[in-house]
Amino acid sequence: MVCPAAKLPLATSPQWVHDTYSFLIAVLTFAIVFGAFAGNVLYGAMRAVPRGQVETAEAYGMTRGQAFRRVIVPQMWVYALPGLSNLWMVLIKSTPLLFLLGLQDIVYWARELGSTQTPRFTAYPHGDWRMWYFLFLLVFYLAFTKLSEVVLGRLMLRLTRGQATLGGETQRKAAA
Amino acid sequence: MTCGEVIANYWLRALGHGLRALPTSDFTLCQQFTLIASGLVWNIYFGAIALLAGFFLASALALGKASPRLWLRKPSEWFIFVFRGSPLFIQFFFAYFLFLNIKGSYPEMGVLTSAGVGAAIVLFLNTAAYTGEIFYGALQSIPRGDIEAADAYGLSGWARFRRVIWPTMLRLAWPAYTNEAIFLFHATTLVFFSGFPVVQQSGDALYYARYFADKTFNPFIPYPILALYFILLTLGIIGLFGLVNRRLNRHLPQDRRARLRFRPQVIR
């Protein structure tokens, strides 16, 4: 049992405090979990920047910090993007699990509004429509995934430009 | 009840045998370990069925996606996209309500709404799509030399596929496939969690863990027990797949063998 004065948020707080609180909890949870994954991806990407690039920076007399800021960070994104986009795909598919936290997202409303409505409680009675609501959700997620794929593909193309990778080389040859 | 009696009463509870009534007060560790373990049968059943059947469909999907023929490639691409592009538990929801509708029109198909059949079908299709993508990737990275060597030996068509392409594809895909198998078993906990109803309190391991967490208001005992069982299950899968991996790589020199790497992909 939690003593009423220690409840977070207080039982007497207005509704918007409760909503904001659960929203922030959800964001924080996802930030911790996916931050760990993204950290791992970025670490791998940093180490994937070719050694020669850093050596060249050192040969120009850059300090470690300068080499990091001017050479490694601008170049690591092309190596990080595949991992990050993978993570993004997983993330957009996992946010509906938030309804477990009591957050009312699209899945919650699909369950709520799609279930059988009797004339006693609503002006718009209908049968069990949840199948169609979930079909819509399925299509919604597929469209979201497709859109992400297209955007991330363009971003990848943009980031590959001028990089010392196979993709960058192909682009350079195609332009020449 | 002594612990021995608890085990005798409850170890087949998830299959509907044994004592009908679940414990409602004076919970012991013995009860929790026994009931959660009995629920694990469902997870192993779902995982094994989906993995076995999915393997064959996945091979077909990978070949279809790599095919130059449009009428083979497009359906495979779409199948993989649909099942990989949407969350598994929404697939469970949708499938369950679809099966309910089918049951409404054709009552003899009512068996589809039971978890044992309906959820197994969804998991089978889902894992086939993920595995199909893995196999497709492996198919694309078969060394050219292997195929040229097969040509040089006069192998072609089915013989070349059976003796060179397919074993090499499996060898290359195996580490990733091991991961897929592990996370398929973890995903089986979603069956009763979302969508499919539990009949007569015969659920999977997560169902019993949640039962105890709800009754005792203490999630810190049942969930770690559940986690322990799943870690053991995962170690079993890694061991089993490791044996197959050794066999697939047996012709390679020791240092060039692909190592199994555990790379978690937590949510699907």
Side-chain angles (χ1 to χ4, degrees), chain B:
Chain B
M1 262 196 290
T2 64
C3 191
E5 283 168 359
V6 167
I7 293 176
N9 281 332
Y10 284 129
W11 74 287
L12 285 176
R13 183 62 184 81
L15 297 175
H17 301 292
L19 207 59
R20 184 75 173 272
L22 295 183
T24 48
S25 60
D26 305 324
F27 302 95
T28 61
L29 270 181
C30 181
Q31 287 169 343
Q32 308 204 11
F33 269 103
T34 311
L35 267 174
I36 294 174
S38 91
L40 211 59
V41 172
W42 278 102
N43 298 96
I44 294 173
Y45 161 77
F46 285 130
I49 289 275
L51 213 56
L52 270 177
F55 178 82
F56 295 99
L57 182 57
S59 301
L61 282 171
L63 288 177
K65 192 169 174 180
S67 161
R69 293 187 195 86
L70 202 68
W71 60 274
L72 276 176
R73 197 174 68 235
K74 279 293 159 192
S76 314
E77 276 177 356
W78 271 98
F79 183 91
I80 291 177
F81 174 66
V82 165
F83 279 96
R84 289 183 77 229
S86 56
L88 176 62
F89 77 96
I90 288 190
Q91 291 166 23
F92 276 133
F93 277 143
F94 176 67
Y96 179 63
F97 293 117
L98 178 73
F99 292 152
L100 268 188
N101 270 21
I102 291 177
K103 190 185 180 182
S105 322
Y106 307 96
E108 65 273 14
M109 301 289 276
V111 69
L112 283 177
T113 53
S114 70
V117 178
I121 292 175
V122 178
L123 276 171
F124 152 63
L125 296 175
N126 186 277
T127 192
Y130 276 89
T131 312
E133 184 67 24
I134 292 172
F135 284 177
Y136 170 74
L139 207 58
Q140 298 303 96
S141 49
I142 291 179
R144 280 188 74 80
D146 287 21
I147 295 173
E148 279 164 9
D151 287 339
Y153 272 100
L155 291 174
S156 68
W158 173 249
R160 187 177 72 161
F161 175 75
R162 167 72 192 75
R163 304 182 65 159
V164 178
I165 295 181
W166 197 60
T168 312
M169 177 186 93
L170 285 187
R171 180 173 71 79
L172 294 175
W174 208 256
Y177 185 46
T178 309
N179 267 312
E180 163 58 24
I182 291 168
F183 287 101
L184 172 68
F185 275 92
H186 294 184
T188 55
T189 51
L190 279 177
V191 170
F192 292 116
F193 196 58
S194 65
F196 288 84
V198 175
V199 180
Q200 291 173 351
Q201 296 189 310
S202 304
D204 72 336
L206 178 65
Y207 173 79
Y208 289 117
R210 205 148 58 117
Y211 174 85
F212 283 115
D214 287 348
K215 290 280 180 209
T216 59
F217 301 108
N218 181 4
F220 297 109
I221 293 174
Y223 288 131
I225 293 174
L226 178 70
L228 172 75
Y229 282 136
F230 267 95
I231 289 170
L232 291 180
L233 186 61
T234 304
L235 288 179
I237 296 165
I238 290 178
L240 222 61
F241 274 69
L243 287 180
V244 179
N245 192 45
R246 259 223 332 248
R247 178 161 173 84
L248 285 171
N249 283 303
R250 68 191 185 281
H251 59 289
L252 290 182
Q254 201 72 41
D255 55 324
R256 274 181 47 207
R257 291 186 180 178
R259 281 289 152 103
L260 284 185
R261 248 185 89 207
F262 181 67
R263 267 185 304 169
Q265 183 208 328
V266 182
I267 302 148
R268 46 206 279 154

Side-chain angles (χ1 to χ4, degrees), chain A residues 46 49 67-77:
Chain A
M46 249 179 239
V49 174
F68 180 74
R69 277 194 306 277
R70 298 179 188 173
V71 177
I72 294 185
V73 171
Q75 287 195 38
M76 72 182 194
W77 300 108

Side-chain angles (χ1 to χ4, degrees), chain A residues 4-85:
Chain A
K7 273 203 172 147
L8 200 66
L10 290 171
T12 52
S13 334
Q15 183 61 32
W16 70 266
V17 175
H18 284 267
D19 289 345
T20 318
Y21 181 77
S22 55
F23 181 78
L24 286 181
I25 287 284
V27 170
L28 185 71
T29 317
F30 273 93
I32 290 173
V33 174
F34 283 86
F37 283 110
N40 203 18
V41 170
L42 289 179
Y43 168 73
M46 249 179 239
R47 292 173 50 112
V49 174
R51 186 81 200 110
Q53 299 283 332
V54 186
E55 277 168 11
T56 313
E58 279 164 3
Y60 273 96
M62 289 189 200
T63 63
R64 280 180 66 93
Q66 281 173 332
F68 180 74
R69 277 194 306 277
R70 298 179 188 173
V71 177
I72 294 185
V73 171
Q75 287 195 38
M76 72 182 194
W77 300 108
V78 68
Y79 302 99
L81 195 64
L84 288 180
S85 49

